[in-house]
Structure formats: structure tokens, C-alpha cells
Amino acid sequence: MLSEEAVLVRSALEALGLETPMLDNGLSRDQKYDKINSLMAEVVSTLGLDLRDDSLSETPHRIAKMYVDEIFGGLNYANFPKIALIDNKMQVKEMVKVKDISFTSTCEHHFVTIDGYATVAYIPEKRIIGLSKINRIVRFFAQRPQVQERLTQQVLVALQTLLQTNNVAVTMEAVHYCVKSRGVMDVNSKTQTTALGGIFKDDGRTRAEFLARY
């Protein structure tokens, strides 16, 4: 049973074409684990590694468990964080900004690591949100195969939906290991993405305040 918040966020992303491409294959958690475990054993063997070695024998199990329970947990909306939304009784009208939210995701093109930081801000209207919930929402959407552009937009839309305001902004800076560890092997470059809504898009001063590093 999904929470009301999870259903609302998923519906909003689907309507905007921002949902991660997913199919319901009908597999339970244990069935997914068993299948990945078996397939990864085949991959490891195909690479010429000896699964009888005590260092490698549990590798398919570890990968299967990691995929299903950890780094791809955000594919299951049953894992969407419990959200504490509070009426804005204090009449807060200034920017609320959470900086340097660490996240680790996975490049959907090569299944290697994306490692970075997000900054999220909003200007309250009727609701405010528990601050740690912002971090948890970033983490939820990061725990999927991703492209950074979509990840940034997903966090924006999720918060706009939950807070019932367009006045949300998200920026992310990350190292992509598909760039760092393969291909061009550039160890220094970082990718920045920004998603702006409401006053953050329309008002230059508000946008500049959000993007300022202080």
C-alpha cells in the first residue's frame, strides 16, 4: 500500500513525462533477488573469474542484494519517505534553503556511480516541510538508475507537489564515474544541473540569492 504522498508525486511525474522509465514485471523482491543473483553469477563466470574462490563466491549475492535493497530502492514507491508537512502557522515567507545534501546515484547508461551534492530551496505558502525530509526525497530519487537532468527535475516536482507551491529550486553538482573511470577518463570535471520553478525562475534577485554560495 503506497502512501498518499507517494501516489501524488508519482502521478505528477508521470503527467509531466519525468518519471523514470519503468515496467511492472510482476516480480516480488525475492524473485528479483534470485534472478539477479543467477544472472550476475553468469556475468562473473563469463568474465573468466572463478566463483569457487572464497573472495568471489558471494559476489553475485552481494550485487543482487545491493541492487534490490539499496542502490535501486528508489524504484519502489513503497520506499518513498514518510513526509512531515506542517501548516505554515508562523507565516514564513522567506526562502528556506538546504545546502550540500550529499547523494550517490547510478548512471543509467553504464550502471556506474554518480556522486554529488544538491542544494534545495523553497518559499513557503500554506505548508512547510520537515528539513530532513528534503534530504530523504533527494536520496529516494537518487536511488535509481538516473540521468542527472531528470533527477534534478524529479526532486523539484516532488517538492512542488507536496508543498503545493511552484516556488521551489534545485541545483546539483556531481562527478560521473562513467566520465571519470572510463571513456574520456576525466578525473576533474563535474556536472551542474538546475531546475527552477515559480519565483526562482521569474525573479532574477530570488534566483541569484538561491544560487549564491553562502
Side-chain angles (χ1 to χ4, degrees), residues 82-208:
K82 295 180 180 179
I83 301 299
L85 292 167
I86 306 162
D87 290 339
N88 187 13
K89 298 174 184 176
M90 298 173 286
Q91 296 298 306
V92 177
K93 295 182 180 179
E94 300 297 329
M95 186 186 306
V96 178
K97 180 176 175 181
V98 183
K99 293 173 52 179
D100 298 330
I101 302 168
S102 62
F103 69 88
T104 301
S105 190
T106 302
C107 164
E108 70 179 37
H109 299 147
H110 299 94
F111 269 36
V112 292
T113 299
I114 301 170
D115 195 26
Y117 292 88
T119 296
V120 178
Y122 74 100
I123 297 175
E125 291 187 13
K126 295 180 180 180
R127 292 174 163 183
I128 58 176
I129 189 170
L131 293 179
S132 70
K133 306 307 179 183
I134 294 175
N135 303 59
R136 293 182 187 278
I137 288 170
V138 171
R139 182 183 181 190
F140 174 79
F141 286 108
Q143 289 180 322
R144 299 177 169 193
Q146 279 288 15
V147 293
Q148 187 174 325
E149 296 89 338
R150 185 202 298 133
L151 172 58
T152 310
Q153 292 283 345
Q154 286 176 337
V155 173
L156 177 86
V157 171
L159 285 166
Q160 287 177 326
T161 301
L162 295 168
L163 290 165
Q164 298 179 358
T165 178
N166 288 326
N167 298 326
V168 179
V170 182
T171 186
M172 293 186 174
E173 181 175 279
V175 174
H176 290 243
Y177 279 71
C178 57
V179 175
K180 182 175 182 177
S181 64
R182 58 159 301 283
V184 71
M185 292 188 177
D186 187 329
V187 300
N188 295 313
S189 67
K190 297 179 181 179
T191 299
Q192 292 182 327
T193 49
T194 301
L196 304 172
I199 194 170
F200 291 97
K201 181 187 288 284
D202 299 333
D203 184 81
R205 289 178 299 178
T206 305
R207 182 168 60 251

Side-chain angles (χ1 to χ4, degrees), residues 3-58:
S3 68
E4 180 183 354
E5 291 81 7
V7 172
L8 285 171
V9 168
R10 183 175 65 181
S11 297
L13 291 172
E14 289 173 345
L16 292 169
L18 290 171
E19 182 57 281
T20 301
M22 291 188 278
L23 293 173
D24 183 1
N25 57 20
L27 297 177
S28 68
R29 180 267 173 205
D30 290 344
Q31 288 172 323
K32 290 177 182 179
Y33 164 83
D34 288 341
K35 191 163 188 176
I36 296 170
N37 187 20
S38 174
L39 291 169
M40 287 310 306
E42 187 173 343
V43 169
V44 173
S45 297
T46 301
L47 289 171
L49 297 168
D50 187 354
L51 281 168
R52 295 170 298 181
D53 186 271
D54 60 0
S55 180
L56 291 166
S57 61
E58 293 295 306

